Amino acid sequence: MDYIAQLDTAIARLHDEGRYRTFIDIERRNGHFPHAVRTRPDGSQQNITVWCGNDYLGIGQHPVVLKAMHEAVDAAGAGSGGTRNSSGTTISHKRLEAELADLHGKESALLFTSAYIANDATLSTRPKLFPGLIIYSDELNHASMIEGARRNGGAKRICRHNDVAHLRELLEADDPKAPKLIAFESVYSMDGDFGPIEEICDLADEFGALTYIDEVHAVGMYGPRGGGVSERDRLAHRIDIINGTLAKAFGVMGGYIAASEKMCDTVRSYAPGFIFTTSLPPAVAAGAEASVAYLKTASELREQHQTRAKILKLRLKRMGLPLIDHGSHIVPVIVGNPVHTKKLSDMLLDDYGIYVQPINFPAVPRGTERLRLTPSPVHGSAEIDQLVNGLITLWAQCELNRTELAG
Ligand code: PLP
């Protein structure tokens, strides 16, 4: 085989479809987020405003988090030095797990190096423990859940997005005695819509299924203590396994599940993605612990976040931009073509210093390519003005349609 030619063909395909991804080199500056500095390809620098980050609350630069991390580095050094089973379980890991179990009102929590790994490792281990398990997975579930549900011989059923009637049909079609697990998200990251948690829990009760929710785009931001939508809707007790990230609203890095002690113990004991990898650095765990604890009491930050998202959506709607609004903090503006989306993103960056990356297939269906804006409490009026003005001007310049899609 001509390996080089194969590689060239694979990359050329992405260029042809207008969805070849390029990195934007940015320097985050502590205390100044969402402002950052971009190094252009020619080496020159440009001040930019980041509008596509997932540090949803700007907590990644909060003094409480930084202090905890500094102190932990001084106290414990850089890395953990091992897997959880071989010297990599420190007091920072234990404390963070206790904090997370408390956040979700569960007996236990288990840390992973990311929420991707947490989803993949947990879901892929379930069929080992429940032979004949059938996983019912929402069609828009994140890649990490899709990967996890694919392995280890479990059967998989794909449910139309948020379609509870379809989920019922699928459940009814299977052997009533078969073990079952329903996997879904609380906030879907690309459209910003909410999963029907209560209806899914009702179906799970009726059909004797376990429930698995990904709250990655909700933890820290929803619920009185930041326990996610399941906390906000008082449904956390009806969910068997809650997955979350420490890398988005909690501003650091890492992922976890929160569940019963037995559930966590089996994942801990059987999941290769937990067992055979070095644990998070203690300073990362300490920073995340400080962040989770801080956000349990920072309701005003959550309120500010929602207010900023509402203001941005209102202003964009008034200008007739086609945005999807399901009432969450995520603001997707639909362009509907990969080439236009990339061009718009490039022009926003080059001409206005606004950084929002293009979102293309496979992250979203073809024809719904978009700019996904993520306002935060640290995006103030000046930043919103700059973004709205830039978008409006470029929208007109590119002669793109102005029609509202939803909301
Ligand atoms: N689940 C969902 C829904 C996500 O969008 C993401 C990442 O963006 C993940 C899981 C993975 O999270 P992490 O970045 O912690 O691996």
Side-chain angles (χ1 to χ4, degrees):
M1 175 178 278
D2 184 343
Y3 294 105
I4 303 287
Q6 281 295 115
L7 298 178
D8 285 343
T9 307
I11 295 297
R13 198 161 50 230
L14 297 178
H15 278 295
D16 288 349
E17 291 180 19
R19 60 185 185 95
Y20 177 73
R21 294 186 171 114
T22 46
F23 291 141
I24 303 298
D25 299 335
I26 70 166
E27 214 177 291
R28 271 174 74 108
R29 299 216 163 143
N30 180 24
H32 297 280
F33 181 76
H35 300 288
V37 177
R38 167 199 181 199
T39 302
R40 295 191 185 92
D42 66 6
S44 64
Q45 296 207 313
Q46 178 193 18
N47 292 323
I48 60 165
T49 308
V50 178
W51 271 101
C52 56
N54 285 330
D55 183 356
Y56 287 124
L57 300 173
I59 203 86
Q61 61 187 0
H62 197 284
V64 166
V65 177
L66 302 189
K67 180 170 177 282
M69 294 186 79
H70 283 301
E71 285 175 1
V73 166
D74 289 341
S80 76
T83 65
R84 286 295 293 270
N85 287 310
S86 60
S87 84
T89 297
T90 70
I91 49 166
S92 302
H93 297 87
K94 296 305 287 178
R95 280 210 303 252
L96 175 55
E97 284 175 340
E99 196 68 73
L100 291 166
D102 172 74
L103 176 68
H104 294 291
K106 298 291 179 196
E107 288 171 1
S108 211
L110 198 62
L111 278 175
F112 295 80
T113 43
S114 72
Y116 185 105
I117 303 290
N119 273 334
D120 182 69
T122 305
L123 287 174
S124 62
T125 309
R126 297 302 80 191
K128 287 190 202 169
L129 299 162
F130 308 117
L133 181 73
I134 304 169
I135 297 182
Y136 301 82
S137 179
D138 187 282
E139 66 179 333
L140 293 191
N141 276 346
H142 188 256
S144 51
M145 278 197 274
I146 295 171
E147 282 301 319
R150 217 199 304 265
R151 292 203 306 282
N152 287 328
K156 195 166 87 162
R157 313 272 183 259
I158 306 298
C159 177
R160 287 195 292 272
H161 179 53
N162 276 355
D163 187 339
V164 184
H166 187 222
L167 178 58
R168 169 179 285 283
E169 267 173 44
L170 293 172
L171 287 159
E172 278 172 350
D174 282 319
D175 177 357
K177 293 204 198 75
K180 300 177 176 74
L181 180 147
I182 305 170
F184 63 110
E185 299 184 19
S186 62
V187 178
Y188 287 86
S189 64
M190 291 300 147
D191 282 359
D193 56 334
F194 295 92
I197 304 178
E198 187 162 23
E199 288 99 317
I200 289 177
C201 290
D202 289 345
L203 278 180
D205 286 349
E206 190 180 333
F207 289 88
L210 295 170
T211 45
Y212 184 101
I213 195 167
D214 175 315
E215 288 255 36
V216 159
H217 292 279
V219 285
M221 293 169 279
Y222 294 85
R225 298 196 310 156
V229 183
S230 57
E231 187 202 18
R232 183 194 72 181
D233 296 351
R234 299 172 195 263
L235 293 167
H237 64 287
R238 298 188 64 191
I239 305 282
D240 293 294
I241 305 173
I242 299 177
N243 164 283
T245 185
L246 301 164
K248 299 188 193 292
F250 291 128
V252 190
M253 193 181 171
Y256 64 91
I257 56 163
S260 68
E261 202 169 327
K262 278 205 172 74
M263 196 68 85
C264 288
D265 196 30
T266 53
V267 179
R268 189 185 75 80
S269 307
Y270 280 90
F274 177 84
I275 299 168
F276 298 108
T277 189
T278 301
S279 62
L280 288 171
V284 169
E289 183 202 344
S291 181
V292 174
Y294 177 78
L295 285 179
K296 280 179 180 172
T297 61
S299 296
E300 73 291 346
L301 213 53
R302 278 185 278 282
E303 281 157 25
Q304 256 179 38
H305 182 215
Q306 293 297 325
T307 305
R308 293 286 150 80
K310 278 193 188 114
I311 292 172
L312 178 62
K313 284 189 273 194
L314 198 67
R315 293 201 48 192
L316 293 177
K317 275 186 197 177
R318 269 201 207 127
M319 306 308 291
L321 291 204
L323 69 99
I324 300 179
D325 182 8
H326 289 288
S328 75
H329 60 284
I330 295 167
V331 185
V333 179
I334 304 295
V335 184
N337 168 303
V339 178
H340 285 158
T341 312
K342 170 87 171 75
K343 191 166 172 207
L344 211 51
S345 161
D346 288 347
M347 289 163 86
L348 275 171
L349 186 61
D350 291 335
D351 302 348
Y352 294 88
I354 291 166
Y355 174 33
V356 49
Q357 100 279 22
I359 308 252
N360 296 320
F361 178 83
V364 294
R366 290 179 209 274
T368 71
E369 290 80 6
R370 65 195 65 185
L371 299 174
R372 176 181 175 274
L373 305 167
T374 52
S376 79
V378 290
H379 290 85
S381 317
E383 286 80 14
I384 292 180
D385 282 348
Q386 186 203 22
L387 171 70
V388 172
N389 293 338
L391 265 177
I392 297 304
T393 310
L394 291 180
W395 213 266
Q397 220 167 301
C398 298
E399 296 180 340
L400 292 164
N401 285 338
R402 295 188 186 206
T403 42
E404 198 170 310
L405 288 185

